[in-house]
Amino acid sequence: MLTVALSTLRIRWTSFVGTFVALALGVGLMATALLVIGATAGVADQARQRWSGAPAVVVPDSGIDLTDDSGQVQHAAVVQQPGLTAEVVAAVARTGRVIEDHTFYAQLAGGPSDQVGRGWSTAEAGGYELAAGAAPVAAGQVVVGGGDAGLIGRTLPLLTAAGPRTVTVTGVTGQVPFEHAVFFTDAEAARISPAVDALAAYGPADAVRRAAAEAGGAGVARALVLTGKERAAADPHHAFLLSRMDNVDTPLGLAAGVAGFVAVFVVAGTFALSIAQRRRELALLRLIGSTRRQLRRLIYAEAVLVGVLASVAGCALGVVGAPLCRGWLVDHGVVGADFAVPIAGWALFAAAAIGLVTAVVGVVVSSVRAGLISPGEALREAGVERRPKAADRVRWVVGGLTLAAGVVAVGGTATVQPEAGSNAAASASLILVIVGACVTLAGVLARPVIRAVTALPALSDSAVWSTARQGALTAFRRTAATTTPVVIVVSLAGCLLGSIGTINAAQVSAVGRQLSRADWVISPAGTPGLNRTLVDRVRAVSSVTAVASTPTTVYAEEQGPSTFQLQAAAVDSASLADVAELPVISGSVSDLRPGSIVVNTIWPGNPHAGDTVAAWLADGTPKHFTVAAVLQAGADSVQAYLDATDAGTTALPSRIIVRLAPDADRAATASALESAVSDLGARISTPEEMSAAATDANQESSKNGMLMILGLSILYAMVALANTLVMTLGDRRHEIAMLRLAGATRGQVLRAIAVETLFCVGAGAIVGAIASTISIGGSWAALRQLVGPTPAVVPWAALGELLAVCATIGLVAAVVPAALALRGGDGRSSVLAGQ
């Protein structure tokens, strides 16, 4: 059978071009993705770190301890460490030299938003070296990390959490990749930020560990001692790199997964069409003695041969694509310019293996169908294509059940758990189910859709229209194979872009609703947050009610036991209800005060207003709160509100919501606010401007991910569409000959083929629209319960462009080969000679 398979590939190579291209592209994408993902694995650990020059680093290890049913203590770290205790610092200092680290927000005018202040002694641990000038020796003097020598001697404005001040630059260091630092004297750094965030220890590592453990008391270590590669965990830049690499891995993995999903359908479709075209050949093999098992082996052999060739080509594409992907990631700011992608053999081997498995999986149904061909079909095959009723019944059952399951899941999500509708990852899994169902049903839905759409009395008398209509209705397999790629394009683009666009619109609606009572919103401009001086100045404006919101974290206990982390906001509780419109289910936001909390329905245990809940603050401090109100969980990222005096957070406020007092002069108040925020790193926006900014941010964040996920999948479908139409040229030759002998002109023949192709593209668009409607409608229904009135986003422009591309590719792939078949004279002699 291997010899027969090789002969088939050599003679009927055009039938396998689409499969080869689709698999090669898929393997190329997977190889690219795996190469890039593999390159991200060690980036965070290999990079130069804040503590590269210290033998050991001691960091706080405060957390939440929970005891499970077996009596074992489960320790969960918290996001805001309170600093090392004086006992730990003193104990570790007895083992040898130590350097205390006090890190805090300190940003020079025009400096990067992640600039920090530190004590000068810590520069040694990070490998800093003075490039020019001298170390700071007095309060108000600083060394600028990576600064220009021209700054030396200048007095510059500086922002800290407390507010603005000025500093004099005494020196600059060379640039480092892990931070932007401003170094103060050790004494001033300790005064600005008293907490000891870390300790560089130069004594024996074992002695340091013992000292840290014993200082914790009762055998419980309140500090971690990190050595070797572990020291990276003490550097915030390490967590940043991990997050950045995750931003690379996630979309690449999704793109490869979706592409593999589409590749299976493309391979299955092209092989199914190939089997249909070769029924006589396969039946002849059965007639001369081939068994059903041998025919199945033949199909698998063809798939393996195509898979091997495509995998080799795909790996070559991956080698070329990895540097291009790296360049795209660098250009879009996802990774730094120093990111490198080495060629790893394991990644290419894995991609090739996946491609081969995809080829084999894609022909499972075709191999079964080939094995069912009887020897008699070599003699009784009719010239008119027979409808595959058994296959249609399977499609109706499988596709119908899958679609019904998808509809039930979407409806259940919207009704029972609407908050899942705001989760793009959860929506994506349902989208694949719905798309798969509609792709399965495409072959059986295409004909009734074409019949309904083309039954226009005004056009039914047209010879071209009637011929095209009958061609689409009688050529079952050609119509199904042409329609399916269009269904993939429309359903994937409509579902993904529409659902994510609807989620983004709901988030914008949530912002607009929450700010509906506000007149202005003050937010950072080039800074990580708002300083205390700015907040105090805004509050001092007499004609406004101003509520500062500071992001923080609270922890609740859930079954396991384990901690459940929630994003929270620390606010001015007395005025929150006056400036913000929140989706209250029970209780009242007006009841929020010190000692109480506002939660949403995600909070474990489903508490009600008036209940007492146990929680831990961001630094692990245990607290009990009275629930003032319960909110509907929605598109808003904030899941709890508590009074600022309870939060204990060191973070900077992220915004101030401002409401104008009744009868106050709006222009005068706006001018007062502008004066209050001047030169303090903030901007004043209207709620409408904030909503527009949220729209732009959401669209931009979604755009890059969708380009990576949708791009190759849609390209797959385009390749399959063109390949299908080229493959069916042999079937058309007899039709073309009959039309010419019946008196049709060359123009009429080509117009009939073009119109038939457009019928198939249109039918695919309608079936794909079914999937898009279900997905977008489900997301909209769920989100409407969460945020109230919100638009359902239909990506009309993108769908229109994709349909135009589908139609163009379809017309070129169908009409051009037909025109070539009609070459020479009036075309009849060459067409008949090809029979």
Side-chain angles (χ1 to χ4, degrees), residues 50-51 81 83 99-106 114-120 122-123 161 178-184 186 188-199 234-237 650:
R50 175 182 283 188
W51 301 107
Q81 294 294 334
I99 299 175
E100 294 183 7
D101 180 40
H102 304 268
T103 301
F104 50 92
Y105 167 57
D114 61 349
Q115 202 163 37
V116 295
R118 303 180 67 199
W120 172 243
T122 60
F178 52 85
E179 69 180 359
H180 299 96
V182 178
F183 293 101
F184 296 73
D186 293 347
E188 188 168 16
R191 181 186 61 79
I192 296 173
S193 178
V196 179
D197 300 304
L199 204 63
D235 186 354
H237 186 65
T650 58

Side-chain angles (χ1 to χ4, degrees), residues 422 500 502-512 635-636 694 698 783 787 790:
S422 63
I500 292 179
T502 301
I503 292 173
N504 290 343
Q507 292 172 340
V508 173
S509 297
V511 171
D636 187 5
N698 288 336
L783 293 165
V787 302
T790 185

Side-chain angles (χ1 to χ4, degrees), residues 495-817:
C495 290
L496 285 173
L497 296 178
S499 293
I500 292 179
T502 301
I503 292 173
N504 290 343
Q507 292 172 340
V508 173
S509 297
V511 171
R513 177 179 176 180
Q514 185 180 113
L515 300 177
S516 60
R517 297 179 183 177
D519 293 281
W520 297 282
V521 179
I522 299 174
S523 57
T527 62
L530 307 175
N531 58 75
R532 284 195 296 274
T533 299
L534 183 149
V535 174
D536 291 341
R537 287 183 183 178
V538 172
R539 286 173 175 164
V541 177
S542 59
S543 54
V544 301
T545 300
V547 174
S549 176
T550 304
T552 186
T553 301
V554 294
Y555 299 89
E557 183 177 352
E558 60 179 349
Q559 291 182 348
S562 62
T563 56
F564 186 80
Q565 183 175 329
L566 298 106
Q567 297 182 40
V571 298
D572 307 318
S573 59
S575 305
L576 179 62
D578 296 330
V579 301
E581 178 71 28
L582 300 176
V584 178
I585 295 177
S586 64
S588 173
V589 177
S590 300
D591 294 334
L592 180 64
R593 57 181 56 86
S596 64
I597 191 170
V598 172
V599 303
N600 70 8
T601 52
I602 290 179
W603 191 283
N606 192 27
H608 299 83
D611 291 349
T612 299
V613 295
W616 292 266
L617 301 181
D619 61 359
T621 302
K623 297 278 287 188
H624 284 82
F625 293 103
T626 299
V627 177
V630 179
L631 309 179
Q632 174 64 61
D636 187 5
S637 60
V638 178
Q639 299 162 326
Y641 293 85
L642 64 161
D643 187 82
T645 60
D646 289 330
T649 180
T650 58
L652 299 174
S654 60
R655 67 179 180 178
I656 304 174
I657 306 175
V658 182
R659 185 177 183 182
L660 184 67
D663 302 324
D665 187 320
R666 187 178 185 87
T669 301
S671 177
L673 290 173
E674 289 287 355
S675 298
V677 305
S678 178
D679 298 325
L680 292 179
R683 68 169 61 90
I684 301 175
S685 307
T686 63
E688 293 76 18
E689 290 170 340
M690 289 294 293
S691 295
T695 301
D696 294 340
N698 288 336
Q699 288 178 347
E700 183 62 27
S701 63
S702 300
K703 178 182 176 182
N704 291 339
M706 287 303 99
L707 284 174
M708 295 178 71
I709 294 170
L710 274 177
L712 197 71
S713 300
I714 291 176
L715 180 60
Y716 271 163
M718 301 298 189
V719 170
L721 176 62
N723 181 67
T724 295
L725 292 170
V726 172
M727 285 175 63
T728 56
L729 176 61
D731 298 336
R732 286 192 185 275
R733 290 183 182 275
H734 181 72
E735 299 173 18
I736 293 173
M738 294 300 101
L739 287 172
R740 294 290 285 131
L741 290 173
T745 65
R746 295 179 61 188
Q748 287 176 320
V749 171
L750 296 178
R751 286 198 298 273
I753 292 173
V755 171
E756 180 185 335
T757 302
L758 293 177
F759 285 163
C760 294
V761 171
I766 293 173
V767 176
I770 296 173
S772 300
T773 301
I774 295 171
S775 178
I776 296 173
S779 297
W780 174 79
L783 293 165
R784 196 173 189 277
Q785 294 190 57
L786 301 178
V787 302
T790 185
V793 176
V794 180
W796 295 112
L799 291 177
E801 293 171 359
L802 290 172
L803 275 178
V805 173
C806 285
T808 301
I809 291 176
L811 289 174
V812 171
V815 174
V816 171

Side-chain angles (χ1 to χ4, degrees), residues 366-440:
S366 296
S367 67
V368 173
R369 186 175 298 167
L372 295 177
I373 296 176
S374 64
E377 292 191 42
L379 302 175
R380 69 170 182 259
E381 181 76 12
V384 178
E385 184 177 347
R386 294 180 301 165
R387 184 175 180 179
K389 295 182 179 180
D392 285 358
R393 284 194 293 269
V394 172
R395 289 193 183 97
W396 277 116
V397 172
V398 175
L401 290 176
T402 305
L403 185 62
V407 171
V408 170
V410 168
T413 299
T415 305
V416 179
Q417 198 177 13
E419 57 271 14
S422 63
N423 187 315
S427 299
S429 59
L430 290 178
I431 284 171
L432 291 181
V433 173
I434 296 169
V435 170
C438 287
V439 170
T440 303

Side-chain angles (χ1 to χ4, degrees), residues 59-65 75-78 81-84 220-225:
V59 294
D61 188 30
S62 296
I64 301 169
D65 294 330
H75 181 78
V78 292
Q81 294 294 334
L84 293 169
V220 178
R222 294 299 179 186
L224 282 177
V225 179

